[in-house]
Amino acid sequence: MSHRTTDELPQGKQVKRFGLIWRIAHLSFALSVMLLILTGMAVFYADTTWAPVIMQAFGGPKTAGIVHRTSAAIMLSIFFMHLIGVATNIARNWKTFRWFGPDSLVPNWQDFRDVYGMFRWFLGKGPRPVFDRWTYWEKFDYWAVFWGMAIIGSTGMMLAFPNVTASLFPGWVLNVATIVHGEEAFLAAVFLFTVHFFNNHFRPDKLPPPDVVMFTGSVAIEEFKREHPAQYARMVRGGSLKKHLVDNPPRAFTLGSKILGLTLIAIGLMLLVLVVTGFISASTK
Amino acid sequence: MPEIKKLTGRAIQLAAFVSAIFLVNSLAALPASARPLSAAQTLDNERCLSCHATDQAELKTTSAGPLRGINRDKFGSSVHGEMRCIACHQDITDAATPHLKGAGKKADCIACHQELWETAKQEKLTAEKARLGVVVNNIETYKNSFHARPNKEDKTHVNATCDDCHDTHSFNVPPQGTSRRTEWHLTIPNVCGEKCHSDELEEYSTSVHGKQVLGEHNSKGAVCIDCHTTHGIANTSRDTFKISITENCGGCHAENLKSYRSTYHGQVNKLGYGYTAKCYDCHGSHPGDPASKVHPNNRLKTCQKCHKEATQGFVTFSPHANTHDFEHYPQVWIVSRFMWALLAWVFAFFWLHTGLWWYREARDRKAHKNHPERRKKIP
């Protein structure tokens, strides 16, 4: 009856999930990606009525282009710093690091079993799977950024430096880069503002939004236990739970995080509306 | 009774006034030549035409150029054929050489037609006189155009008046859709080119469009106004022109406009900014061989007009690539299919995942099943 012991929850404590650097990285990612989407989609959907308004607000495509490139630079540099961070971290723990272990973001067989289990649960054919530290959708979000960075980032660089591109490749590469850049950006935008928002903020268990764990860094212990029961059990068994417990964040900090979260969600949903109207008007032309 | 008195008083006053004017007028006229005439009834069209018709000898003028004669038939069949000369030429009050100009207004399409339209509106005849509305519309458009602005060299004149393009005396643009309209349409390059834009006309006549119109009499080819618009002609260095010109080419070259609009050049243009490449930056506007600027041998130079450092690959870039023409743009075709498939799969999977999740979690919550204890045993 090991899970009996787990019910003695320490009061007024939260479980730490994201360190400060990760949270700053996430916030800058969120802000820069929104700026990228806004300035990019205004060009991608130039035919819409809203696009010229956005362009004028930015003072023209030239300034919007600078904003776009600056945001891209911020995003890429965070991404590369993160790569370095992860690499050193792994190098330091090279001997003990378990690539496919529960603390690794590398997909493993358990993830596929979890997907299967989730669908069984959806259909009422089985229990809800219990998750360890990283769920498969969190892993997907993480690797989607890698993919997006690689695809959108590289094509974006090609388009930003056409002279270099055209000295190395034939011209059709620029044609292809334009298509890939736009479509992949569409994918990223719609994915973030539907699937990512739903998984983390709009599921019945998460209502009302926002979930602020990415801003405060820690999560109420009850919720942690509900969302990551396997990790919780692992911590209790290994006696490392205490090490991860932190005090409830100050009220003002939580409130600020909620306001920030709601603002970002609202902007995201507005961007979603713009992109969807753009998509509809482009496909009905 | 007092009314009659008043009226007779008025009549006497009027008679005295008229005779005074008559006297002054005839006195003033006397030294020039013996002409007893004065009243409007003798200034009929026939009288004016006896000197001004094309079938008469050329008139001697004190001003610089010769006077344009008036073709009787053309005037008769023009939209103003029923009007009297002096209805428009209110400043002409005699039939002498040279005319002693009165204080009346000079002929002016704009003022007269704006008044006509106001009257039509008051009389609620706008439907019957819809053509007069067209005239006023064109006036309004014209007023903001390049032609309505003062000429750079001679500030007292505008660049072009209605009369410069439409000989007022024969003005008769045939109704839309008639073969006469088509005939008239084919003469437009000459209207623009003969008096004012002879260099452009010359270039134009060697262009694809000019050859179609002037050579083959193909009314589907572009004449000046198809690209420049008619009454709203804008200065070509202005953004208004740079933005509308692509739409104007696109009126005939729809496919090319569509593919252009899917490139950065076209998107920025659509947003209302004129600095990216427009059709004519690559294809030229009037010049002879349309292929010359986009011919593979010259293309890099054309790109380098804007992209100073452009490298060899620019030549094989397709500014009109589209996603449905496999034959011409195979790479674009393949990549776009791949992207669409990727999008379709990702969204199909995750939206299904999301929808089902919502459904199940909501049901479980209702049944209070989401408490950890109720779940499967924790490993």
Side-chain angles (χ1 to χ4, degrees):
Chain A
M1 291 301 257
S2 62
H3 69 277
R4 272 275 139 237
T5 54
T6 64
D7 267 4
E8 291 141 23
L9 301 175
Q11 291 301 303
K13 290 279 177 185
Q14 296 205 334
V15 181
K16 180 140 184 128
R17 234 166 108 62
F18 300 106
L20 184 63
I21 303 228
W22 286 95
R23 287 181 270 148
I24 293 175
H26 175 267
L27 182 61
S28 344
F29 251 54
L31 290 173
S32 55
V33 87
M34 282 174 174
L35 272 177
L36 281 163
I37 291 172
L38 185 64
T39 48
M41 287 299 161
V43 173
F44 194 62
Y45 291 126
D47 259 344
T48 56
T49 42
W50 56 262
V53 180
I54 306 270
M55 263 313 151
Q56 255 165 24
F58 275 99
K62 283 184 182 161
T63 14
I66 294 172
V67 172
H68 197 82
R69 279 152 226 233
T70 313
S71 309
I74 292 174
M75 197 162 193
L76 282 173
S77 41
I78 293 173
F79 180 68
F80 282 113
M81 283 191 302
H82 146 267
L83 275 191
I84 295 170
V86 169
T88 44
N89 215 359
I90 293 179
R92 235 186 266 136
N93 304 319
W94 188 254
K95 294 253 167 60
T96 53
F97 187 71
R98 288 166 60 204
W99 288 91
F100 297 103
D103 289 318
S104 162
L105 277 159
V106 177
N108 55 31
W109 289 119
Q110 184 58 39
D111 292 321
F112 290 96
R113 284 195 287 273
D114 285 344
V115 175
Y116 179 68
M118 277 294 265
F119 272 95
R120 280 180 58 85
W121 173 60
F122 292 159
L123 300 173
K125 296 225 155 79
R128 181 177 185 150
V130 289
F131 292 99
D132 205 292
R133 183 166 175 191
W134 303 117
T135 63
Y136 62 84
W137 64 88
E138 285 165 337
K139 287 187 184 177
F140 187 89
D141 278 357
Y142 180 78
W143 290 105
V145 175
F146 263 80
W147 165 260
M149 237 5 102
I151 302 294
I152 310 184
S154 63
T155 52
M157 285 307 212
M158 285 181 178
L159 296 169
F161 301 101
N163 300 334
V164 180
T165 313
S167 67
L168 301 172
F169 304 108
W172 61 260
V173 171
L174 285 170
N175 288 111
V176 165
T178 311
I179 301 253
V180 172
H181 193 75
E183 297 289 336
E184 186 67 33
F186 175 89
L187 174 66
V190 176
F191 187 88
L192 281 171
F193 304 142
T194 59
V195 179
H196 177 74
F197 272 15
F198 172 82
N199 289 351
N200 298 295
H201 304 286
F202 289 118
R203 285 194 272 131
D205 273 358
K206 297 264 185 177
L207 291 176
D211 179 354
V212 289
V213 59
M214 237 326 165
F215 302 118
T216 61
S218 56
V219 56
I221 199 156
E222 296 82 9
E223 188 184 342
F224 177 69
K225 198 177 149 197
R226 192 176 70 217
E227 295 289 332
H228 301 276
Q231 187 188 8
Y232 179 75
R234 195 156 55 86
M235 283 174 163
V236 171
R237 270 203 312 274
S240 66
L241 181 62
K242 277 229 171 63
K243 228 172 53 197
H244 286 88
L245 287 183
V246 290
D247 287 335
N248 274 342
R251 273 196 112 116
F253 185 48
T254 310
L255 183 68
S257 302
K258 283 203 166 144
I259 294 173
L260 178 61
L262 282 179
T263 315
L264 290 178
I265 290 175
I267 299 176
L269 292 180
M270 275 189 285
L271 288 171
L272 179 65
V273 170
L274 296 188
V275 172
V276 169
T277 48
F279 178 79
I280 291 170
S281 81
S283 43
T284 49
K285 267 229 174 78
Chain B
M1 284 295 161
E3 259 118 40
I4 291 178
K5 232 188 204 163
K6 228 183 192 170
L7 271 181
T8 35
R10 284 261 167 90
I12 293 165
Q13 267 178 353
L14 198 71
F17 184 66
V18 168
S19 45
I21 290 184
F22 190 84
L23 204 69
V24 171
N25 249 356
S26 36
L27 279 177
L30 267 177
S33 64
R35 313 168 242 159
L37 293 168
S38 67
Q41 74 235 46
T42 46
L43 293 180
D44 58 5
N45 290 6
E46 203 31 61
R47 184 158 178 95
C48 309
L49 287 168
S50 69
C51 288
H52 285 293
T54 37
D55 51 26
Q56 302 296 318
E58 197 177 297
L59 290 169
K60 283 211 182 66
T61 60
T62 51
S63 52
L67 280 181
R68 282 171 294 153
I70 292 156
N71 184 309
R72 286 170 193 273
D73 294 341
K74 281 192 180 163
F75 178 77
S77 60
S78 83
V79 290
H80 300 115
E82 305 286 305
M83 286 173 67
R84 300 186 63 183
C85 309
I86 51 169
C88 289
H89 294 286
Q90 290 174 13
D91 58 333
I92 304 292
T93 51
D94 61 12
T97 46
H99 297 288
L100 240 194
K101 295 234 188 94
K105 281 184 290 177
K106 287 189 74 167
D108 173 13
C109 325
I110 296 181
C112 184
H113 269 278
Q114 277 174 338
E115 229 166 84
L116 281 175
W117 187 237
E118 283 308 314
T119 327
K121 275 203 268 189
Q122 274 158 21
E123 293 169 354
K124 305 217 173 344
L125 288 175
T126 47
E128 288 82 352
K129 304 200 168 176
R131 287 286 297 168
L132 289 182
V134 175
V135 181
V136 175
N137 260 346
N138 290 352
I139 289 173
E140 284 309 316
T141 324
Y142 164 82
K143 277 182 168 171
N144 295 319
S145 79
F146 178 69
H147 284 137
R149 272 186 265 149
N151 189 282
K152 262 206 198 114
E153 279 141 35
D154 175 5
K155 297 254 193 273
T156 59
H157 285 86
V158 296
N159 285 324
T161 63
C162 314
D163 186 66
D164 285 327
C165 298
H166 303 296
D167 179 10
T168 314
H169 301 122
S170 55
F171 186 96
N172 195 1
V173 178
Q176 298 273 8
T178 60
S179 62
R180 281 194 304 134
R181 178 68 170 235
T182 315
E183 290 283 309
W184 141 257
H185 190 81
L186 292 171
T187 65
I188 288 172
N190 299 326
V191 172
C192 309
E194 270 170 2
K195 261 203 295 181
C196 302
H197 302 291
S198 49
D199 290 350
E200 283 80 14
L201 176 60
E202 200 175 303
E203 282 180 352
Y204 167 80
S205 58
T206 60
S207 75
V208 246
H209 299 124
K211 279 187 203 145
Q212 291 285 323
V213 172
L214 302 173
E216 321 248 316
H217 298 285
N218 175 5
S219 63
K220 292 218 170 65
V223 299
C224 320
I225 57 167
D226 289 320
C227 297
H228 289 284
T229 72
T230 310
H231 298 105
I233 290 175
N235 188 333
T236 53
S237 54
R238 288 258 183 135
D239 261 4
T240 7
F241 173 81
K242 291 178 178 170
I243 291 153
S244 62
I245 185 75
T246 49
E247 291 290 337
N248 297 343
C249 305
C252 297
H253 301 285
E255 263 301 303
N256 298 303
L257 177 65
K258 199 167 156 219
S259 50
Y260 167 73
R261 284 268 181 262
S262 71
T263 68
Y264 190 71
H265 294 140
Q267 286 162 335
V268 170
N269 187 269
K270 177 78 195 179
L271 287 168
Y273 300 84
Y275 65 84
T276 51
K278 299 155 288 296
C279 321
Y280 68 86
D281 286 315
C282 300
H283 294 284
S285 44
H286 316 131
D289 180 6
S292 61
K293 287 182 100 181
V294 294
H295 187 276
N297 293 347
N298 308 334
R299 208 180 281 178
L300 190 56
K301 231 176 82 204
T302 304
C303 299
Q304 281 168 344
K305 277 204 307 186
C306 300
H307 301 270
K308 300 266 177 321
E309 319 269 295
T311 45
Q312 198 50 39
F314 274 67
V315 175
T316 43
F317 173 72
S318 310
H320 286 286
N322 62 50
T323 51
H324 57 257
D325 185 350
F326 179 77
E327 205 181 311
H328 289 103
Y329 315 109
Q331 301 92 352
V332 173
W333 191 94
I334 292 169
V335 167
S336 62
R337 298 307 118 131
F338 173 77
M339 291 308 296
W340 296 342
L342 178 71
L343 262 67
W345 278 107
V346 170
F347 286 130
F349 179 81
F350 277 101
W351 284 346
L352 180 69
H353 187 267
T354 296
L356 289 174
W357 193 348
W358 179 287
Y359 163 79
R360 174 56 52 196
E361 201 163 285
R363 286 195 61 160
D364 278 14
R365 271 184 90 79
K366 251 198 199 142
H368 301 289
K369 270 206 290 192
N370 56 344
H371 202 265
E373 276 93 354
R374 308 263 173 90
R375 295 214 192 130
K376 195 187 134 197
K377 219 176 103 191
I378 293 161

